[in-house]
Amino acid sequence: MTPGAGRSHLASGELVQWYRIERLLGSGGFGITYLATDTNLDRQVAIKEFFPPDLVTRQADNRLEAASPASDQPYRDGLRRFLIEARTLVKFAHPAIVRVFSVFEANQTAYLVMEYEDGEDLKSHLAVPGRLSEDYLKDIFLQIADGLEQVHQRGFIHRDIKPSNIIVRRDGSAVLLDFGATRPAGEAGHTTYVSGGYTPLEQVQRDLPVGPWTDIYSLAATLYCMITGAAPASATRRLAAMARESADPLQPASALGEASYSAPFLAAVDAALQFHGEDRPQTLPEWTALFAPGLSSPRPDTETRQAGERVGRSSKPVRPLAWRRQRLRRRAGIAIAALLVVGGGAWGMLQWQEHRRVAGMMARAEAGFENGEYVAVALPIYREILAGKPEHPPALARIEEIQRLQEALIRRLLDQQRLASASAALKAYVDSGGEPSSIRKFSEALSSAREQRQTDAEFEAISMLIRENEYATAVERLEQLKARVPDDSRTAGLAVLAADGIERQRQRQLAEAERSRAAFQAQQRTDGELQRRIEAANRRQRARRLAYEDRIRKVESALASGEIASARRELEIANTYQIDDALLQQLRVQLEREERFQREAFSEQDQRYAERQFELLARAIEQNNVAAVSSLTESGSNRQRLFARLMRQYSRVEVELKNFRLSTNPKLARAQLKIVSLTLPNGDTVYPSQSYQSTSLELQRYADRWTAVRW
């Protein structure tokens, strides 16, 4: 549940436009997906609601509001991107890409309406024996790659490919779901979105650009999971191993799957799982070319097989693209060597100058480190050194040491309950590029410490309430606190004190009530008998008068609503009370006049008036004139609320009038109002279901007035 008064998701049975929510399908960092019924077309759809839980809360009427002032702009930016990307996804038409029907805004957020895909997620589907063959895996993944290439050609990447987002339909075809994390390709500074071992480095570090190579890594990681039975090592684990100059924790598919799959097939998977984006295939056609049938059918010759065995024993992945780049670098090295024969002196001078520059930077960084200016002075210089020399061991070691010092400081401040200082130290650690896992751990510890401090303050406030005899308020606060911290031993002790206080107050109140009751009974005995005689004398007269007035009100009400027969019946009953009342005579005259009028035929003027009123209502609806609709019609009906909602949600409601007719006794003008079409703000036209199309309208003519249009 998000903070605030609302729920975290829409409830079953609720309507969003004409979509009825059936049940929750899943949720993630950007939204919630529901199974819903399109009540217009009577079909099931999947609806994704933009709902970033860290930024918004849901109100009682299902509207979303920013969780805090600081969350407002990020939420609006995210909603804007969601709408832009959703309108792009609508244009995709490929069997391997989930079909998007429409996108609309409601509840201060947006909803993406998609085809509901009935099938199994990839991991469950492949659990059936016989489905993990190389040809079967190729068939599924080449289907997804073919559809994903269409997304890449439009300039977008998916960013969340994993087994649970690939569905295999009942006919065996595969489809890629959940485009909630989609972003334009090539951007840096993007929002991070991590799904364990399926997420590459560039999605963890915001300063790296993302592109087709990002989806290629995730798709290869999904294929790796199918081959080995487990997801690859996460990018953060691989990054930590690289910083320690340890072996890559990712075991290559070529080493784990050689008993069941061909070497070229496994090599293609390993090529797409390279740690750095530039070392992977850069486009899907470049990668899928490695899966061509000609690469997997023939068995390798002896030399190639032996080379493959050596690669397996070395536990390093086969890297077709990296190998080609390495060959190019070797050729470039030969050319550089030839240049050095001619100009070796100049090259040596450049190397010496670079060495001096790095040494000077290291000296400044070390001085800052020794002075305790780790983050402000030393860290930026070490990072500048690594920008030119990524494998500089002293700089790498110092950066790791600075991070350990920062972590130790944060732990110490947390232990000392200096939460404001710990928060500032954690911000500096985040700004300095601390490890994501440590940042998450410290953030959770800081949040826990703040909650504990708030809990302690609440217990102290409750103790103060008990001391001031505010026992009921103390119990209410204790119940709220117990819901948050059910296992705190202080709760039981304070509850006993509060209960004892409440019992003492109750006993005092009972004694006071008993004294008051005795005094009251004594007074009643004095005055009771006289009061009963007075009441007995007046009771019959009051009852008779009240009964008469009730009949008179019924006569007036019946006349006002045009129920002439009912008014006549109630008037005759009122006359039996034999009360001389001028109002009774006036109502009799009014009733007789109305009875005569209702038997008369409609005049041409009245007919034109009724037709005009119906026409004015139809035009007011089409012009979205809510005020005019309200003034022309009787309020409070379901149909009036329906049209008010339609005029708010649609830019135009097209209607037509049919079946105008007149009748007498009573004098009524009737017509049918039919909704022809509804136009959305984006220009799309929809047509209502049969149950919404037709609405009956009615006007009644009295002797002295017309009613408003009745729905």
Side-chain angles (χ1 to χ4, degrees):
M1 202 76 175
T2 57
R7 299 157 294 173
S8 61
H9 57 80
L10 298 173
S12 299
E14 291 192 277
L15 280 175
V16 183
Q17 285 200 348
W18 51 83
Y19 298 101
R20 184 178 63 248
I21 301 299
E22 303 296 345
R23 59 183 172 88
L24 183 69
L25 291 177
S27 60
F30 291 92
I32 303 174
T33 304
Y34 306 92
L35 175 64
T37 298
D38 182 340
T39 59
N40 271 347
L41 301 178
D42 192 22
R43 64 177 178 183
Q44 287 192 321
V45 295
I47 294 184
K48 188 176 186 74
E49 177 186 44
F50 180 67
F51 185 93
D54 295 335
L55 299 179
V56 295
T57 61
R58 190 185 303 280
Q59 304 304 304
D61 59 358
N62 287 329
R63 290 182 301 106
L64 300 191
E65 290 189 358
S68 67
S71 304
D72 184 67
Q73 192 57 46
Y75 172 64
R76 293 180 184 277
D77 292 342
L79 179 60
R80 178 179 54 81
R81 288 195 300 268
F82 180 86
L83 287 167
I84 292 172
E85 291 148 14
R87 287 165 182 151
T88 301
L89 294 176
V90 171
K91 303 172 185 175
F92 296 148
H94 193 282
I97 300 297
V98 63
R99 184 182 177 192
V100 177
F101 295 134
S102 67
V103 62
F104 62 90
E105 293 184 74
N107 295 330
Q108 296 186 177
T109 186
Y111 296 84
L112 187 63
V113 184
M114 301 169 288
E115 185 170 5
Y116 173 60
E117 297 291 358
D118 186 16
E120 297 178 294
D121 69 76
L122 186 62
K123 204 163 189 176
S124 301
H125 178 75
L126 294 180
V128 177
R131 289 181 176 171
L132 284 174
S133 68
E134 182 172 323
D135 288 340
Y136 197 85
L137 289 179
K138 279 184 184 178
D139 177 59
I140 288 177
F141 279 85
L142 290 175
Q143 288 181 60
I144 298 298
D146 189 48
L148 191 59
E149 173 62 12
Q150 188 179 109
V151 178
H152 290 175
Q153 288 176 356
R154 297 268 186 163
F156 287 86
I157 59 171
H158 187 281
R159 290 208 318 159
D160 193 22
I161 300 173
K162 54 188 176 184
S164 60
N165 280 342
I166 295 176
I167 294 293
V168 180
R169 302 183 181 98
R170 298 184 185 277
D171 64 0
S173 61
V175 58
L176 180 60
L177 308 179
D178 199 351
F179 282 76
T182 303
R183 289 291 179 272
E187 72 172 359
H190 49 80
T191 55
T192 57
Y193 192 77
V194 180
S195 292
Y198 305 101
T199 301
L201 174 67
E202 58 268 25
Q203 277 187 231
V204 178
Q205 292 189 343
R206 298 183 61 187
D207 56 342
L208 297 177
V210 294
W213 54 90
T214 304
D215 283 346
I216 288 171
Y217 185 100
S218 300
L219 194 54
T222 303
L223 192 52
Y224 181 100
C225 179
M226 301 301 105
I227 293 170
T228 67
S234 68
T236 53
R237 280 187 61 202
R238 299 180 73 183
L239 181 62
M242 182 177 294
R244 295 192 300 268
E245 298 185 355
S246 302
D248 190 341
L250 173 63
Q251 293 293 309
S254 56
L256 300 177
E258 60 182 347
S260 304
Y261 301 93
S262 68
F265 175 70
L266 297 172
V269 175
D270 287 333
L273 288 174
Q274 294 299 300
F275 186 65
H276 297 290
E278 63 269 19
D279 292 334
R280 301 177 212 138
Q282 299 297 288
T283 65
L284 278 165
E286 182 182 347
W287 185 44
T288 55
L290 304 180
F291 289 94
L295 292 179
S296 57
S297 298
R299 300 302 300 168
D301 57 25
T302 302
E303 182 181 353
T304 305
R305 184 167 62 253
Q306 291 172 350
E309 291 169 355
R310 289 194 297 272
V311 168
R313 287 194 295 270
S314 68
S315 77
K316 292 183 179 178
V318 178
R319 303 177 179 180
L321 293 176
W323 179 84
R324 290 200 293 271
R325 293 191 180 98
Q326 187 178 12
R327 183 174 61 183
L328 291 173
R329 286 196 292 269
R330 284 201 299 270
R331 290 177 178 174
I334 295 171
I336 292 170
L339 289 173
L340 286 175
V341 172
V342 179
W347 176 260
M349 178 62 72
L350 290 174
Q351 291 290 87
W352 178 77
Q353 290 175 345
E354 175 64 10
H355 176 75
R356 285 195 61 188
R357 186 183 72 85
V358 171
M361 293 171 66
M362 276 299 294
R364 295 198 306 275
E366 288 294 301
F369 184 90
E370 293 300 328
N371 290 332
E373 299 175 307
Y374 311 118
V375 178
V377 176
L379 188 60
I381 300 175
Y382 289 134
R383 286 206 169 130
E384 186 178 353
I385 293 171
L386 291 179
K389 290 183 173 294
E391 302 298 329
H392 193 277
L396 287 170
R398 280 302 197 196
I399 288 177
E400 186 171 351
E401 186 175 355
I402 289 172
Q403 289 184 340
R404 300 293 82 78
L405 289 169
Q406 288 179 291
E407 291 170 1
L409 173 62
I410 295 169
R411 281 192 290 269
R412 185 168 65 254
L413 292 171
L414 287 172
D415 291 341
Q416 297 170 352
Q417 289 295 301
R418 296 164 60 187
L419 303 188
S421 299
S423 177
L426 178 57
K427 183 179 184 303
Y429 181 70
V430 172
D431 294 340
S432 66
E435 292 185 4
S437 61
S438 297
I439 292 171
R440 183 168 58 254
K441 178 183 68 177
F442 287 135
S443 296
E444 290 171 354
L446 182 60
S447 177
S448 177
R450 284 171 172 160
E451 289 177 0
Q452 185 59 48
R453 177 172 289 181
Q454 182 181 355
T455 299
D456 294 341
E458 185 67 13
F459 274 118
E460 180 57 34
I462 292 170
S463 299
M464 181 64 71
L465 288 171
I466 292 174
R467 289 194 293 273
E468 295 174 354
N469 300 329
E470 297 289 339
Y471 303 113
T473 305
V475 169
E476 182 180 349
R477 295 273 288 271
L478 271 173
E479 288 299 321
Q480 296 172 356
L481 187 57
K482 188 177 179 181
R484 292 205 332 261
V485 286
D487 299 327
D488 197 302
S489 59
R490 292 172 290 181
T491 304
L494 291 175
V496 169
L497 291 175
D500 289 343
I502 288 174
E503 179 61 23
R504 288 194 300 273
Q505 284 183 338
R506 190 180 72 83
Q507 293 297 334
R508 286 195 297 270
Q509 289 169 353
L510 286 174
E512 182 62 31
E514 181 61 25
R515 286 192 296 271
S516 298
R517 188 176 66 83
F520 176 73
Q521 287 176 345
Q523 182 64 38
Q524 278 189 324
R525 282 191 295 272
T526 303
D527 301 330
E529 187 61 30
L530 178 61
Q531 184 65 30
R532 281 192 294 272
R533 284 198 298 268
I534 294 173
E535 288 179 355
N538 294 328
R539 189 176 297 117
R540 289 186 297 274
Q541 182 63 27
R542 279 202 310 272
R544 186 164 172 268
R545 185 71 189 184
L546 287 172
Y548 169 79
E549 290 173 354
D550 181 63
R551 293 297 176 179
I552 291 296
R553 282 194 296 271
K554 289 180 179 179
V555 173
E556 292 173 332
S557 176
L559 283 173
S561 59
E563 298 172 3
I564 307 302
S566 178
R568 168 61 67 184
R569 183 172 58 256
E570 295 297 333
L571 188 66
E572 295 300 330
I573 295 173
N575 195 50
T576 63
Y577 288 99
Q578 297 181 351
I579 293 178
D580 187 14
D581 187 0
L583 179 58
L584 182 66
Q585 301 305 319
Q586 293 174 5
L587 290 174
R588 181 179 288 110
V589 171
Q590 181 181 346
L591 175 61
E592 291 172 355
R593 184 173 67 249
E594 193 65 52
E595 286 175 336
R596 288 194 301 273
F597 181 81
Q598 292 296 323
R599 289 191 293 270
E600 295 173 0
F602 271 96
S603 67
E604 291 184 2
Q605 181 179 358
D606 286 343
Q607 179 177 344
R608 286 195 299 273
Y609 176 86
E611 290 174 342
R612 177 60 178 165
Q613 291 300 102
F614 289 148
E615 184 65 29
L616 286 173
L617 175 59
R619 298 291 75 76
I621 292 172
E622 289 188 334
Q623 294 167 7
N624 248 356
N625 192 337
V626 177
V629 171
S630 298
S631 67
L632 288 167
T633 63
E634 289 186 354
S635 61
S637 72
N638 290 334
R639 282 290 170 169
Q640 187 191 47
R641 288 191 288 271
L642 169 65
F643 276 90
R645 187 168 70 251
L646 291 177
M647 286 187 286
R648 285 195 302 270
Q649 292 181 352
Y650 298 92
S651 60
R652 176 175 170 80
V653 180
E654 183 180 358
V655 298
E656 66 177 10
L657 288 169
K658 302 174 64 177
N659 299 334
F660 178 81
R661 57 197 184 280
L662 301 171
S663 63
T664 58
N665 202 19
K667 297 180 77 170
L668 295 173
R670 294 188 177 94
Q672 292 289 319
L673 181 69
K674 180 180 178 183
I675 302 176
V676 179
S677 65
L678 305 166
T679 303
L680 290 164
N682 63 4
D684 291 347
T685 300
V686 297
Y687 301 93
S689 59
Q690 190 68 31
S691 61
Y692 289 135
Q693 280 185 350
S694 185
T695 299
S696 296
L697 304 178
E698 182 181 278
L699 276 168
Q700 184 164 358
R701 180 71 164 101
Y702 293 110
D704 57 349
R705 71 189 188 282
W706 282 91
T707 64
V709 177
R710 299 169 181 163
W711 298 96

